[in-house]
Amino acid sequence: MKKAIKMTGRILLILLILLLLFTLVTFIIHRVKTNQETALLKEKGYYNPVSVGNYSLNVAKFGSENGRHTIVALAGLGMGDYSVAERQMTDVLEKDNTVVFIDRAGYGFSDDTDHEMTTEYIVEDYRKALQNAGIEAPYILMPHSIGGAYANYWSSKYPDEIEAVVFVDGSQLSENAFDDEPESTVGFSDKALVFLAKLGFSRYALRQNYYLLPDNYSEEEQRLCDALELMTEDSIAPVSESCLLPQNGQTGWDNIITNDVPKLYICASYGYQTKEEFREYLNWFSALKTKNHLKAPESAGISDEKIQEQLEQTEKLRQEIIYPYAEKMGNCEVVLLGGDHMIYEQKPEECGEVIKSFVDGLDS
């Protein structure tokens, strides 16, 4: 019996030593790769920390130095790679305009914070970062997903700072949009995952269902996106923001003040109008999953009847949510561009041209 206990102890000790060695090697490799990736991102102009008080937010500026308009891109929830991922879409905008990407606290190069990431706090951070970076209003806000709630709050509270708003499939806000979202707080498991990410373990599980990169990204673009995403996963602020998603969405809706600020809403998730358009998305998404070694949906087997049901459902959602949302905001044009929620990845050139047409129209 004593021998068995002693042997078990030795095995456990050996396993512990191996685990510690594996962790140490993982951490060292992670730090070396992070330093290399950081150097490349700096070289490409993505690194520009600006103080907002107790910490800094990263403010990356591209395009024309004295552009006709200043377009400020606001990322969706957890999109730490947004400044790289959107550049294919913003390429056509950068020729005549200044395009600015601000990383929220904990995103990419921005410092982390344990402050609650409420809508009010996030917007004030944005404003301080722009002011301290010397980027003067008025701005054209270009939010994606939940960034739309922040843009609504911003343009309603500080309309003099906002020239226009372009929603790139912004979260579809309504009175009851977040009723089904569970309320949560940052817990021990969240902090444990962030700690493991700091050690480098997130590199082993980077390609998940929520983070997939399409074929139209070059190897360098994929590397830059991966680096920024890894930097985001080792921060607690995005976790806080995720926990506050229902509250932040509701704040964005409740504080909308109908005004004449020009707005464009690119409707992708609810934007399908034809069977061909829907099948195009299914094929694109299937190829994306396959590329990332994940099980692809059986898109080819979906019947025309099922697709027709989907088209009818999206039309109903447009009538019940999108158009009333646009009406509540005021002076909002809705453009249907059916596709993935990350439409800036699926149809970057087409999306960019839609935005360019809107922005150019502001000058007439």
Side-chain angles (χ1 to χ4, degrees), residues 223-253:
R223 185 183 177 195
L224 296 176
C225 285
D226 288 350
L228 290 171
E229 190 65 21
L230 287 166
M231 292 176 190
T232 304
E233 289 185 7
D234 71 5
S235 301
I236 205 68
V239 180
S240 170
E241 185 188 358
S242 180
C243 291
L244 292 170
L245 179 63
Q247 176 183 319
N248 287 347
Q250 197 65 47
T251 298
W253 171 263

Side-chain angles (χ1 to χ4, degrees), residues 18-288:
L18 290 174
L19 177 61
L20 291 173
L21 286 173
F22 178 66
T23 300
L24 179 61
V25 171
T26 295
F27 177 71
I28 292 173
I29 292 173
H30 177 58
R31 293 316 308 165
V32 169
K33 287 187 175 181
T34 298
N35 290 338
Q36 294 170 344
E37 292 156 354
T38 297
L40 181 59
L41 283 159
K42 287 181 178 180
E43 177 189 332
K44 297 297 179 180
Y46 288 97
Y47 180 78
N48 183 39
V50 175
S51 173
V52 292
N54 295 327
Y55 55 90
S56 295
L57 296 188
N58 196 60
V59 182
K61 186 167 63 171
F62 301 97
S64 175
E65 181 64 30
N66 299 302
R68 296 197 314 236
H69 305 276
T70 300
I71 301 172
V72 179
L74 313 180
L77 182 64
M79 300 298 175
D81 65 345
Y82 199 56
S83 56
V84 176
E86 260 214 346
R87 292 291 301 286
Q88 290 188 11
M89 183 188 78
T90 63
D91 181 61
V92 69
L93 304 172
E94 293 176 17
K95 292 177 174 61
D96 299 313
N97 305 285
T98 303
V99 179
V100 182
F101 295 90
I102 309 179
D103 291 329
R104 296 193 282 278
Y107 283 57
F109 282 119
S110 289
D111 293 336
D112 200 7
T113 178
D114 57 4
H115 195 287
E116 284 195 339
M117 296 294 284
T118 63
T119 295
E120 299 88 340
Y121 186 80
I122 287 169
V123 170
E124 292 307 321
D125 256 6
Y126 277 145
R127 296 179 66 242
K128 283 185 283 187
L130 289 169
Q131 291 165 10
N132 293 344
I135 302 172
E136 298 180 355
Y139 314 117
I140 297 177
L141 301 181
M142 189 172 64
H144 169 65
S145 198
I146 193 59
Y150 309 144
N152 271 315
Y153 181 85
W154 195 343
S155 62
S156 293
K157 188 168 184 179
Y158 305 104
D160 292 343
E161 295 180 5
I162 309 303
E163 180 183 3
V165 185
V166 175
F167 297 88
V168 183
D169 209 43
S171 291
Q172 299 86 9
L173 301 186
S174 67
E175 185 64 44
N176 306 309
F178 295 92
D179 283 357
D180 295 333
E181 294 284 346
E183 294 185 7
S184 60
T185 57
V186 178
F188 174 79
S189 60
D190 297 311
K191 294 177 181 178
L193 288 173
V194 167
F195 177 70
L196 289 174
K198 289 181 184 296
L199 292 176
F201 284 98
S202 53
R203 285 187 182 271
Y204 299 130
L206 184 60
R207 288 289 179 266
Q208 301 293 338
N209 285 316
Y210 68 91
Y211 180 65
L212 307 175
L213 294 178
D215 283 333
N216 56 335
Y217 282 26
S218 67
E219 288 187 13
E220 182 177 84
E221 286 173 326
Q222 291 189 40
R223 185 183 177 195
L224 296 176
C225 285
D226 288 350
L228 290 171
E229 190 65 21
L230 287 166
M231 292 176 190
T232 304
E233 289 185 7
D234 71 5
S235 301
I236 205 68
V239 180
S240 170
E241 185 188 358
S242 180
C243 291
L244 292 170
L245 179 63
Q247 176 183 319
N248 287 347
Q250 197 65 47
T251 298
W253 171 263
D254 291 342
N255 285 275
I256 292 176
I257 297 175
T258 307
N259 57 41
D260 292 328
V261 173
K263 304 173 191 72
L264 170 69
Y265 187 95
I266 298 175
C267 180
S269 300
Y270 297 171
Y272 302 105
Q273 299 177 80
T274 66
K275 294 177 183 178
E276 292 74 22
E277 190 176 40
F278 191 73
R279 284 201 182 278
E280 178 188 4
Y281 161 70
L282 290 177
N283 292 333
W284 177 83
F285 187 63
S286 179
L288 183 62

